[in-house]
Amino acid sequence: MEDRDVVLYLGPYTINIKPIIVKMWNADFDFNDEVLKTIPLWIQFPNLPLNCWEGDSLSRIGSTLGVPVYADTCTTKVERISYARILVELDITKSLPKQIMVDDPNGREFEQEVWYDWMPMYCNKCLQLGHVY
């Protein structure tokens, strides 16, 4: 049970920047009925002002898109300043914005560009990932 919980809660996991969704198995699981609507995606904020790189600021910015999970190591250690990168759980049934409005810690508002490491294709007709109808 402990090993199972470690695997379930240590994630999220990705292969080649694409998410792997890990869930607890149950006897009634059916792949055909399973609909993925919320998945973790890596998001980049190019040229984000350095005063917005603190954990609370990044979390607040990520919250405008979905549920922030964590920032990558280069972002938390400020080893790369060309962009900040965070993992956010997003509802992929909605369109993913290319820009958002951000209030910096000094109260100034600015438009921030948003880049996605991977843009999933989601079909609203069959409710599946992998293609667009």
Side-chain angles (χ1 to χ4, degrees):
M1 297 298 269
E2 289 178 28
D3 291 340
R4 179 207 63 197
D5 290 344
V6 167
V7 170
L8 285 174
Y9 302 116
L10 190 62
Y13 301 100
T14 59
I15 293 180
N16 196 24
I17 67 173
K18 296 178 183 174
I20 298 174
I21 309 301
V22 180
K23 292 184 174 187
M24 195 175 321
W25 181 85
N26 69 46
D28 297 326
F29 180 81
D30 182 359
F31 277 106
N32 295 324
D33 292 337
E34 184 70 16
V35 177
L36 291 177
K37 294 182 180 180
T38 304
I39 63 172
L41 293 177
W42 283 106
I43 296 174
Q44 297 177 27
F45 300 113
N47 303 312
L48 184 70
L50 288 176
N51 65 345
C52 295
W53 283 54
E54 197 269 330
D56 289 340
S57 293
L58 283 174
S59 180
R60 186 175 34 79
I61 294 168
S63 293
T64 64
L65 299 166
V67 178
V69 179
Y70 56 78
D72 72 352
T73 304
C74 290
T75 298
T76 56
K77 293 183 178 180
V78 192
E79 293 175 344
R80 167 200 61 234
I81 60 170
S82 56
Y83 63 90
R85 185 171 176 250
I86 63 174
L87 188 68
V88 178
E89 290 182 351
L90 293 165
D91 181 349
I92 58 165
T93 64
K94 301 175 182 172
S95 63
L96 303 177
K98 302 284 188 194
Q99 298 175 340
I100 57 173
M101 294 306 293
V102 173
D103 291 327
D104 74 6
N106 300 325
R108 291 179 291 222
E109 186 178 64
F110 64 94
E111 191 172 74
Q112 175 63 52
E113 194 172 3
V114 180
W115 295 348
Y116 301 89
D117 282 10
W118 174 61
M119 293 279 288
M121 293 187 294
Y122 183 79
C123 179
N124 287 314
K125 184 172 182 177
C126 70
L127 305 176
Q128 296 290 321
L129 282 172
H131 68 277
V132 178
Y133 177 69

